[in-house]
């Protein structure tokens, strides 16, 4: 007997932090507003309202640049306690419809409502009810996407923002995906999009014309994933496992690190902080090491490799690889580990083993 067609809802609150601020202070509703760090401390915009977006302001932009684009911009520091309280209220609303919930952040989650009896079993009506209850009980708006898998549900939730929703029915998947820009594919960032464009690939329809072997040659194992998503296929289940996957530390520097040597000089301090954080977390076992870099143009990259002990030599090599991808001043560095599941690793954790 075939399993029933999945019904996935992706819910994403509209400019969440800014929405909470506008809810609690109505005088902010008609002004360009951002939540983030101050420009004099090299702060970054966490989110902004839609008025600010008309000026070109967006999340992850430096606050200094945001103010240049919109001199009237009001920038507020984040109030995480209030945001977490609102998130808890939203989570309670989700739980009225399903127990199969995968939170992605405080304001965003996947819901698998397959087989649920609410709203006559209609995922579209459930999404409408969830959005209505968020508006009535939390005082902010949310958008939703409804589709047979996670990839398409996430794309759909962005289709009618703000305060809207979009349905992709199973029979409409192929026609919808074929014209979808590659930038909409999960995991395709600016650098990968540029590589695809150089190969003449701009849409999912373009991707479909490539063979798996050719995509593998250019993109490694990610090429197989690209091809599947370009065909609208995504078998990932909505995961309720909220166990921690990584532990990391990072630092945004007051002045950009101008070259590789300066970046390497910061590694010992970051590694010491990571070691201390691991110890505070009970010295969990891990199976991988990673280094993250954010360059002065706000592009970023992460490099990973297997590893069971903190190794300065390994971190240094990862940093060299990551730096070569941008070869420009660096504003943020981070180091981290990928935690091991019980079946991954029988050995005991070693901190800074022999290189």
């Amino acid at each position: 007997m075939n399993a029933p067609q999945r019904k996935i809802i992706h819910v994403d609150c509209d400019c969440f932090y800014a929405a909470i601020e506008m809810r609690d202070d109505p005088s902010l509703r008609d002004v360009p507003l951002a939540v983030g760090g101050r420009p004099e401390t090299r702060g970054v915009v966490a989110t902004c309202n839609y008025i600010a977006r008309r000026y070109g302001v967006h999340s992850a932009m430096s606050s200094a640049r945001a103010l240049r684009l919109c001199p009237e911009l009001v920038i507020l520091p984040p109030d995480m306690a209030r945001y977490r309280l609102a998130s808890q209220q939203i989570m309670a609303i989700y739980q009225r419809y399903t127990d199969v919930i995968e939170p992605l952040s405080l304001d965003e989650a996947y819901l698998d409502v397959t087989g649920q009896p609410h709203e006559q079993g209609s995922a579209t009506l459930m999404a409408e009810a969830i959005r209505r209850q968020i508006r009535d009980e939390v005082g902010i708006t949310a958008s939703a996407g409804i589709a047979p898998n996670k990839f398409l549900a996430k794309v759909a939730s962005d289709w009618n923002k703000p305060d809207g929703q979009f349905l992709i029915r199973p029979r409409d998947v192929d026609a919808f995906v074929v014209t979808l820009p590659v930038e909409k594919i999960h995991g395709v960032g600016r650098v990968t999009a540029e590589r695809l464009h150089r190969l003449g690939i701009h849409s999912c329809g373009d991707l479909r014309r490539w063979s798996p072997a050719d995509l593998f040659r250019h993109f490694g194992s990610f090429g197989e994933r690209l091809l599947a998503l370009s065909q609208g296929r995504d078998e990932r289940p909505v995961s309720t496992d909220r166990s921690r996957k990584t532990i990391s530390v990072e630092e945004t520097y007051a002045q950009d690190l101008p070259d590789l040597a300066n970046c390497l000089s910061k590694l010992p301090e970051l590694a010491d902080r990571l070691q201390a954080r691991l110890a505070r977390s009970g010295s969990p076992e891990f199976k991988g090491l990673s280094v993250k870099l954010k360059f002065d143009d706000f592009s970023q990259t992460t490099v990973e490799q297997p590893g069971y002990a903190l190794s300065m030599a390994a971190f240094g090599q990862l940093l060299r690889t990551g730096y070569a991808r941008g070869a420009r001043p660096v504003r943020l560095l981070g180091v981290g580990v990928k935690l091991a599941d019980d079946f991954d690793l029988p050995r005991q954790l070693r901190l800074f083993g022999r290189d």
Side-chain angles (χ1 to χ4, degrees):
M1 183 175 178
N2 292 331
Q5 177 69 61
R6 282 178 178 164
K7 295 181 179 181
I8 309 297
I9 303 173
H10 179 260
V11 187
D12 187 13
C13 295
D14 303 316
C15 57
F16 180 57
Y17 294 175
I20 298 298
E21 298 296 343
M22 292 186 292
R23 179 198 69 182
D24 294 347
D25 183 353
S27 70
L28 297 171
R29 293 177 181 172
D30 298 319
V31 302
L33 172 69
V35 175
R38 297 300 308 171
E40 60 269 18
T41 61
R42 294 171 59 84
V44 175
V45 172
T47 191
C48 60
N49 66 5
Y50 286 88
I51 299 174
R53 295 180 193 195
R54 295 174 198 155
Y55 292 83
V57 179
H58 57 76
S59 60
M61 173 181 286
S62 72
S63 298
R65 174 162 171 72
L67 278 172
R68 288 196 295 272
L69 291 171
C70 180
E72 299 81 21
L73 184 68
V74 176
I75 302 178
L76 298 179
D79 185 340
M80 297 309 298
R82 277 192 297 142
Y83 307 155
R84 289 191 187 99
L85 178 60
S87 178
Q88 291 166 6
Q89 294 175 282
I90 294 165
M91 184 62 62
I93 292 171
Y94 297 157
Q95 290 168 346
R96 297 169 189 169
Y97 295 87
T98 180
D99 293 327
V100 187
I101 302 168
E102 181 180 342
L104 302 179
S105 64
L106 290 179
D107 66 305
E108 182 182 3
Y110 290 110
L111 288 68
D112 189 332
V113 297
T114 309
Q116 292 295 329
H118 316 287
E119 305 292 340
Q120 299 87 52
S122 167
T124 297
L125 293 179
M126 282 186 253
E128 289 175 351
I130 288 167
R131 292 176 46 243
R132 181 172 61 251
Q133 290 164 28
I134 291 173
R135 182 171 58 248
D136 293 345
E137 299 175 28
V138 187
I140 62 175
T141 63
S143 298
I146 308 98
N149 61 52
K150 290 168 69 172
F151 162 55
L152 292 172
K154 186 170 175 63
V155 171
S157 70
D158 198 43
W159 217 251
N160 282 329
K161 268 188 168 287
D163 194 20
Q165 66 183 57
F166 187 75
L167 167 67
I168 303 174
R169 295 171 295 186
R171 65 177 180 267
D172 297 330
V173 167
D174 191 69
F176 178 84
V177 173
V178 71
T179 60
L180 199 67
V182 292
E183 289 83 354
K184 294 289 187 179
I185 295 177
H186 178 74
V188 173
R190 183 182 62 84
V191 174
T192 303
E194 289 175 353
R195 290 178 62 195
L196 288 164
H197 291 169
R198 287 196 294 270
L199 294 170
I201 301 172
H202 298 274
S203 69
C204 288
D206 295 333
L207 259 173
R208 293 181 186 184
R209 291 192 281 270
W210 284 63
S211 71
D214 286 339
L215 288 173
F216 182 86
R217 188 170 68 252
H218 286 281
F219 300 99
S221 59
F222 186 51
E224 181 180 0
R225 177 82 178 145
L226 284 171
L227 186 58
L229 294 179
S230 74
Q231 297 167 344
R233 295 186 289 113
D234 181 11
E235 300 303 321
R236 293 174 301 154
V238 173
S239 173
T240 59
D241 179 10
R242 302 176 195 172
S243 59
R244 195 170 196 174
K245 304 297 184 184
T246 62
I247 293 178
S248 62
V249 298
E250 60 185 41
E251 182 73 28
T252 299
Y253 297 98
Q255 293 188 341
D256 294 333
L257 305 177
D259 51 34
L260 177 60
N262 275 269
C263 293
L264 289 168
S265 73
K266 301 297 184 182
L267 271 185
E269 177 190 359
L270 287 170
D272 286 345
R273 287 169 51 192
L274 177 60
Q275 184 174 22
R277 187 165 186 182
L278 285 165
R280 290 195 301 271
S281 300
S283 298
E285 294 179 333
F286 53 86
K287 59 182 178 181
L289 307 176
S290 65
V291 170
K292 173 183 175 182
L293 302 91
K294 182 179 286 187
F295 298 100
D296 63 344
D297 63 351
F298 284 85
S299 63
Q300 66 181 46
T301 188
T302 300
V303 192
E304 301 175 328
Q305 72 172 44
Y308 307 110
L310 300 187
S311 162
M312 286 302 301
F315 279 137
Q317 186 55 52
L318 291 171
L319 176 56
R320 291 181 179 89
T321 300
Y323 184 83
R325 295 176 179 176
R328 57 186 305 126
V330 171
R331 61 177 283 120
L332 177 149
L333 276 180
V335 296
V337 297
K338 183 175 183 180
L339 298 183
D341 299 318
D342 291 341
F343 55 81
D344 283 321
L345 190 65
R347 70 178 74 186
Q348 293 293 311
L349 169 72
R350 291 184 294 115
L351 294 181
F352 283 102
R354 294 177 181 176
D355 294 333

